[in-house]
Amino acid sequence: MLIQVILPLPIKDKFTYEVPDDIPESIGLGTRVLVQFGRKKYYTAIVAGLDQRPPENYEVKKIMAVLDSRPALRYPQLKFWEWISDYYLCSEGDVMKAAIPTGLKLESESIVTLNPEFDSEDGVRLTERQSIIVAALQHAGKESLAGLEKITGLKNVTPHVNALLAAGVVRIDEKIVEKYRPKTVTKVRMLCQRDDQQQINEFFDKTARSRQQQAVLLAYLDLSKFLQRNEDLQSVDKETLLKVSGVSPAVLKAVADKGILEIYKEKVNRFDTSEDSDLHDVTLSPAQTLAAKQIRDSFRQHAITLLHGVTGSGKTEIYCDLIREVLDQGNQVLYLVPEISLTTQLTDRLRKVFGSRLLIYHSKFSDSERVDIWNRLLATNEPLLVLGVRSSVFLPFARLGLIVVDEEHEASFKQYDPAPRYNARDAATVLASMHGAKTLFGSATPSVETYWKATNGKYGLVTLSERFEGARLPEVEVVDMKLMRKQKSVKGIMSLPLRKAVRDALDGGWQAIMFQNRRGFAPVVVCHTCGWSPKCGNCDVSMVYHKGSQLLRCHYCGATQTLPNVCPACGENAIDKFGYGTERIAEEIQEEFPDRKVSRMDLDTTRNKQAYQDLIEEFAEHRTDILVGTQMISKGLDFEKVKIVGVLNADTLLNFPDFRSTERAFNMLEQVAGRAGRRQEPGKVLIQTTKTDEPVLRHVCNHDYAAYYEEELQNRMRYAYPPFTKIVNIFIRNKDAAVCDAAAVMLTLELRKVFGNRVLGPEKPFVSRVNTWYLQQIMLKVESQASMKKVKALLRQIYESLAPAPQIRSSQIHYDVDPV
């Protein structure tokens, strides 16, 4: 039998393999199989279909093994993968790599060993780094490439290992690595039958000389109900037994060595499936009740409905009401949020309503935790609610009834690198349609494309224009920083009005949020004598100073270096640090308010899933007075004691060369403003800027989304931008700047032969070199109703016609559809 499989590689087509006769298992669509690809590499592949005849252009290999007794995917996941591949102009292998948790992808791993046939007297001269690698292998025997880097301290050992391989010093083998590990608990059990009283007496005799060993035995009998014949035997875990008996692990081991108790490991479910108790009902206000009814009515006519509700209007309660109804019908729900930080705060709220029916899925979980969630959804049809970020759209839902996309305008729903560069918001609508489910978008500041579709009848539209329990929208004041500086009313980054407003709020028992969308301490480091500034060696950007680590860091490739004591160019002690990142702002605010607790929320302080929880809990419980953060703090968080929000520098949002810059600025300013005054006490927002005449600031002050939308829509129509067209950005990457430029020109000329004046460019992007790769960008505008499958076929033809050219062959080309 011949099967077609999807490999987790960026290759154009599926590959055909043969199922050998000695594999008796039946193989269905979505089954994982282990295959050899290339001479030595092994991958997990997904069966995507049957092949009637062998291909003519390559030899068919046999699969190595079937990894599942049942398919690892559900219908229609393969169809969903195919749509993402076609629409976002990538391979199905790219989609597979993003969709399936790493723990379900067996792959071969390169293992390096010394060649026993190599003679050190052959005259091979080794470099210093090669000698270090050889010495490490002599000690370790064998090691993976990653392991070699760790034990030698060398970065990128691959070229050195390749040189050793060519010289015959080492050899490389491939081993299959399974990354999933089930959760286990160490348990203890008695090595006799419950009715064997004679054996039990002998056990007591064996422990008679040790009071501690008898304490272990008595504690086990009590915990397990071993002697209570009318009760079920209870399992006993090692940790509980040690705690109850009050002995050390060594004592327990001594009892086990005497053949009395057995210590063993047992696989356990990572999820709490116990009975739920004390679950809360959702109580809606009259306005929320009306909105929920309107959404249900809208779903009768539209598969997709937009809930346009102002910040603090209680959209989450409406979601809960609709979710409960879908779960009670026996269906499953996907609740998408743009940031992991939102899942942290939402978890507690949703757990109180839905209990153990709630599952959480995001990248901060370990591979094994994500595999367990995948397997649970694969094994059951039970009504479950999954709260997750964009990767959750790939989970194997059985009976999907509703998808909620909260804060649908957020750019975080878009995957940037690597492929597939999909938008989870748009992908969710396709996934829902494949399941016959409904999709609910929610936002106080909907994206222009979504609101346009809602007002033109393609989507349903429900508006919630009042805050929960009558709370008022915050007053917004624009602070003219040019005037403040003339009046010498600026200290550090904070103007006098903002400092006074924060102090008054804190004195009244309230909290404040300070927003600056730039992390680090100082974004600009420069020598004021000669003008030297540290640049990243890999990227075309300046490095940002991080005071906590005392390092200069590139925010594009992650490269670091120490800050020199004197200028490396002129030798003077004249290096100064300018500008404000969240780290510096938090430090200055702490100096301004020394008796208050100041916390910081940005990428540097939230690198693990517990960090989000701790920061949000501290602020929600008023153990923190002032929270300084990047855009993370603008996204749907609900804090009842926040009275003041300060936007410390709105200019960075307004001065970006992109057709979406105005939309991003309005959304972010309105959203961060919405964190203030979310209960009865009205809040206040102060926006510091030097561009007080910007129209978008006037709309934010008036909380007037409709006026902003009409103005923005006219500009989009005038210059043929979405929603009136689709944008495909084509990026060309090459290590050589001249070759990159030549490849971009060559590709542009060919594109214009097919697409005409729809092609704009090429031009260098805002950052033209990232991680040693030079970049060029071409913009392709196509009609909004154009078939992306046909566009993909045309782009493939153009690429294949240019493939022989050395400029194209040495370049990497990728496509970004619907960039945000």
Side-chain angles (χ1 to χ4, degrees):
M1 181 172 69
L2 298 178
I3 57 173
Q4 286 187 324
V5 302
I6 301 171
L7 288 155
L9 299 168
I11 52 181
K12 176 190 171 188
D13 296 316
K14 302 178 180 71
F15 264 73
T16 299
Y17 282 82
E18 180 184 352
V19 180
D21 296 335
D22 59 348
I23 295 182
E25 295 96 329
S26 60
I27 299 179
L29 295 182
T31 301
R32 293 184 309 147
V33 293
L34 186 65
V35 300
Q36 181 182 355
F37 188 77
R39 282 185 290 180
K40 286 191 173 182
K41 290 288 184 180
Y42 299 90
Y43 294 96
T44 295
I46 296 293
V47 178
L50 302 178
D51 213 341
Q52 301 300 322
R53 61 182 66 181
E56 299 177 355
N57 48 354
Y58 60 88
E59 179 183 353
V60 175
K61 296 178 181 177
K62 295 182 179 181
I63 66 171
M64 310 296 294
V66 177
L67 301 177
D68 298 308
S69 58
R70 65 183 180 192
L73 274 67
R74 285 185 184 273
Y75 182 83
Q77 282 178 283
L78 288 173
K79 188 178 178 184
F80 182 54
W81 289 9
E82 185 178 344
W83 176 84
I84 288 182
S85 170
D86 287 340
Y87 189 86
Y88 292 104
L89 308 180
C90 62
S91 72
E92 289 186 62
D94 287 324
V95 183
M96 175 190 169
K97 196 158 190 176
I100 295 182
T102 305
L104 289 178
K105 289 180 294 205
L106 286 170
E107 291 188 6
S108 59
E109 186 177 87
S110 297
I111 300 297
V112 185
T113 58
L114 289 174
N115 185 355
E117 299 177 1
F118 173 70
D119 189 347
S120 59
E121 298 180 359
D122 286 350
V124 177
R125 299 185 63 181
L126 303 180
T127 66
E128 180 182 355
R129 293 190 175 190
Q130 290 171 358
S131 298
I132 293 173
I133 292 171
V134 169
L137 290 173
Q138 287 172 339
H139 180 265
K142 60 182 179 180
E143 193 57 72
S144 66
L145 293 174
L148 280 175
E149 290 183 355
K150 185 175 181 180
I151 62 178
T152 62
L154 301 175
K155 292 184 178 179
N156 191 15
V157 300
T158 303
H160 307 297
V161 171
N162 284 339
L164 291 170
L165 182 66
V169 179
V170 301
R171 67 184 185 188
I172 295 180
D173 300 307
E174 299 293 326
K175 77 170 184 177
I176 305 300
V177 180
E178 184 172 13
K179 299 180 180 178
Y180 170 65
R181 295 290 182 271
K183 183 177 181 180
T184 59
V185 172
T186 304
K187 300 249 180 180
V188 179
R189 60 187 168 207
M190 183 84 84
L191 290 174
C192 75
Q193 299 298 319
R194 296 179 77 178
D195 56 358
D196 192 346
Q197 189 61 48
Q198 181 179 351
Q199 185 70 65
I200 295 172
N201 292 336
E202 290 179 7
F203 289 165
F204 274 102
D205 291 340
K206 287 183 178 181
T207 58
R209 294 185 178 182
S210 172
R211 187 169 57 188
Q212 287 187 318
Q213 290 182 14
Q214 284 215 337
V216 171
L217 184 55
L218 289 169
Y220 174 81
L221 293 172
D222 181 50
L223 291 169
S224 66
K225 311 293 184 186
F226 195 86
L227 299 179
Q228 286 92 315
R229 308 289 167 78
N230 58 335
E231 296 190 36
D232 293 335
L233 186 65
Q234 303 295 312
S235 65
V236 178
D237 63 81
K238 176 182 175 182
E239 184 178 349
T240 303
L241 180 60
L242 292 175
K243 184 177 180 180
V244 170
S245 61
V247 303
S248 67
V251 175
L252 175 59
K253 184 178 182 301
V255 176
D257 290 343
K258 291 181 176 180
I260 300 172
L261 298 176
E262 180 187 8
I263 303 172
Y264 65 100
K265 290 189 179 292
E266 182 178 286
K267 291 182 184 179
V268 295
N269 195 331
R270 279 189 168 89
F271 310 106
D272 180 14
T273 56
S274 58
E275 289 293 322
D276 295 317
S277 59
D278 196 28
L279 295 182
H280 296 194
D281 288 329
V282 178
T283 303
L284 302 184
S285 69
Q288 290 172 324
T289 302
L290 176 60
K293 179 182 181 302
Q294 291 173 336
I295 291 170
R296 291 182 175 94
D297 293 341
S298 176
F299 278 155
R300 295 189 182 98
Q301 300 177 17
H302 301 93
I304 305 166
T305 293
L306 168 65
L307 173 59
H308 180 203
V310 298
T311 56
S313 57
K315 293 185 289 294
T316 303
E317 284 72 22
I318 297 174
Y319 300 155
C320 288
D321 185 59
L322 297 168
I323 289 168
R324 181 188 289 281
E325 181 179 57
V326 174
L327 293 177
D328 289 345
Q329 293 168 354
N331 294 320
Q332 296 169 337
V333 179
L334 172 59
Y335 189 149
L336 283 175
V337 291
E339 288 278 359
I340 296 170
S341 59
L342 284 186
T343 68
T344 301
Q345 192 178 42
L346 269 175
T347 298
D348 291 339
R349 297 174 68 179
L350 297 178
R351 187 77 71 191
K352 292 175 183 177
V353 179
F354 301 107
S356 61
R357 293 193 290 181
L358 173 67
L359 300 179
I360 317 296
Y361 189 84
H362 56 65
S363 59
K364 294 294 184 184
F365 283 178
S366 68
D367 285 332
S368 295
E369 287 173 314
R370 280 181 280 171
V371 169
D372 279 350
I373 293 173
W374 183 285
N375 286 336
R376 181 172 180 186
L377 285 169
L378 198 62
T380 182
N381 293 340
E382 63 183 306
L384 295 170
L385 166 62
V386 176
L387 173 65
V389 291
R390 59 175 179 258
S391 58
S392 305
V393 297
F394 295 116
L395 286 168
F397 294 98
R399 299 181 59 183
L400 192 60
L402 174 68
I403 298 180
V404 176
V405 185
D406 196 16
E407 310 295 347
E408 66 81 29
H409 64 278
E410 279 292 346
S412 300
F413 283 122
K414 174 74 172 179
Q415 164 77 12
Y416 292 100
D417 268 318
R421 296 171 179 84
Y422 67 101
N423 191 315
R425 176 197 64 196
D426 301 329
T429 64
V430 176
L431 177 67
S433 69
M434 290 179 174
H435 283 269
K438 303 296 184 181
T439 304
L440 177 62
F441 290 160
S443 176
T445 56
S447 65
V448 170
E449 291 95 319
T450 297
Y451 200 71
W452 182 78
K453 291 175 182 176
T455 53
N456 282 275
K458 185 173 181 180
Y459 296 169
L461 175 61
V462 175
T463 301
L464 189 58
S465 56
E466 66 178 58
R467 280 188 152 187
F468 184 67
E469 293 183 343
R472 285 180 287 167
L473 287 167
E475 175 192 350
V476 181
E477 177 184 333
V478 175
V479 179
D480 187 344
M481 292 302 283
K482 289 189 291 186
L483 178 62
M484 289 292 109
R485 290 191 178 100
K486 283 182 182 178
Q487 297 175 349
K488 297 185 178 179
S489 296
V490 178
K491 179 182 177 183
I493 197 173
M494 293 178 70
S495 63
L496 179 61
L498 180 57
R499 289 203 309 274
K500 183 178 184 305
V502 172
R503 188 174 298 280
D504 290 345
L506 297 179
D507 290 344
W510 300 94
Q511 294 170 290
I513 288 177
M514 299 291 109
F515 170 72
Q516 172 79 329
N517 203 26
R518 177 170 280 171
R519 64 189 175 95
F521 185 84
V524 179
V525 177
V526 66
C527 172
H528 62 72
T529 298
C530 70
W532 171 85
S533 181
K535 300 284 187 181
C536 175
N538 302 323
C539 309
D540 185 25
V541 293
S542 298
M543 303 191 83
V544 177
Y545 177 61
H546 287 248
K547 188 175 181 180
S549 58
Q550 296 288 311
L551 290 173
L552 294 166
R553 188 180 301 275
C554 173
H555 287 179
Y556 282 81
C557 70
T560 60
Q561 66 183 62
T562 56
L563 179 68
N565 294 322
V566 297
C567 175
C570 68
E572 293 295 317
N573 184 15
I575 296 177
D576 281 337
K577 298 175 280 291
F578 298 98
Y580 285 84
T582 50
E583 188 179 9
R584 185 174 192 172
I585 291 166
E587 183 179 289
E588 287 198 359
I589 290 176
Q590 188 67 77
E591 292 175 359
E592 179 77 16
F593 303 98
D595 56 336
R596 302 292 182 172
K597 173 72 181 297
V598 179
S599 293
R600 177 164 57 96
M601 181 185 284
D602 56 29
L603 187 62
D604 299 320
T605 62
T606 55
R607 292 198 178 272
N608 62 67
K609 65 182 180 183
Q610 190 58 41
Y612 284 104
Q613 185 74 31
D614 293 343
L615 281 170
I616 289 172
E617 282 184 1
E618 283 184 4
F619 197 66
E621 295 171 4
H622 208 158
R623 287 181 280 141
T624 296
D625 299 293
I626 304 172
L627 181 63
V628 179
T630 57
Q631 60 183 339
M632 290 180 181
I633 63 174
S634 71
K635 299 181 180 181
L637 297 173
D638 184 22
F639 303 113
E640 63 178 27
K641 298 291 287 184
V642 175
K643 190 171 184 179
I644 294 295
V645 169
V647 178
L648 298 173
N649 186 3
D651 295 356
T652 58
L653 302 175
L654 302 169
N655 297 337
F656 204 79
D658 181 74
F659 77 93
R660 292 190 191 274
S661 60
T662 304
E663 180 179 9
R664 274 195 297 266
F666 179 85
N667 289 351
M668 200 167 291
L669 291 172
E670 183 67 16
Q671 288 288 339
V672 76
R675 300 316 106 205
R678 294 176 69 89
R679 298 299 184 267
Q680 294 299 324
E681 187 70 21
K684 187 171 183 179
V685 182
L686 289 92
I687 301 176
Q688 299 185 159
T689 180
T690 61
K691 298 179 176 293
T692 56
D693 56 347
E694 284 284 341
V696 68
L697 294 178
R698 182 178 70 254
H699 299 320
V700 172
C701 288
N702 297 328
H703 301 289
D704 193 347
Y705 175 84
Y708 148 74
Y709 167 76
E710 290 298 333
E711 186 176 286
E712 180 68 12
L713 194 67
Q714 292 302 314
N715 290 329
R716 299 281 184 94
M717 185 184 297
R718 185 178 300 118
Y719 299 109
Y721 280 112
F724 305 102
T725 58
K726 284 180 183 173
I727 301 292
V728 180
N729 282 336
I730 304 171
F731 291 93
I732 301 95
R733 307 198 312 166
N734 199 293
K735 297 281 189 177
D736 186 298
V739 174
C740 184
D741 295 347
V745 171
M746 187 180 300
L747 181 57
T748 301
L749 293 175
E750 287 300 311
L751 286 167
R752 287 200 176 119
K753 292 178 183 178
V754 177
F755 295 101
N757 60 5
R758 299 179 183 87
V759 180
L760 303 176
E763 65 177 4
K764 291 182 179 179
F766 185 64
V767 178
S768 60
R769 183 170 177 256
V770 175
N771 206 12
T772 73
W773 291 89
Y774 291 92
L775 303 175
Q776 282 281 355
Q777 177 181 335
I778 304 166
M779 179 182 286
L780 174 61
K781 289 183 179 180
V782 297
E783 290 73 7
S784 58
Q785 300 302 320
S787 165
M788 293 307 296
K789 190 170 185 177
K790 292 180 179 178
V791 171
K792 181 180 182 181
L794 290 171
L795 291 174
R796 183 68 194 181
Q797 290 174 13
I798 293 170
Y799 174 77
E800 289 178 354
S801 69
L802 295 174
Q807 298 94 328
I808 298 296
R809 180 184 296 180
S810 63
S811 299
Q812 294 183 1
I813 299 173
H814 73 256
Y815 309 97
D816 186 9
V817 181
D818 299 335
V820 296

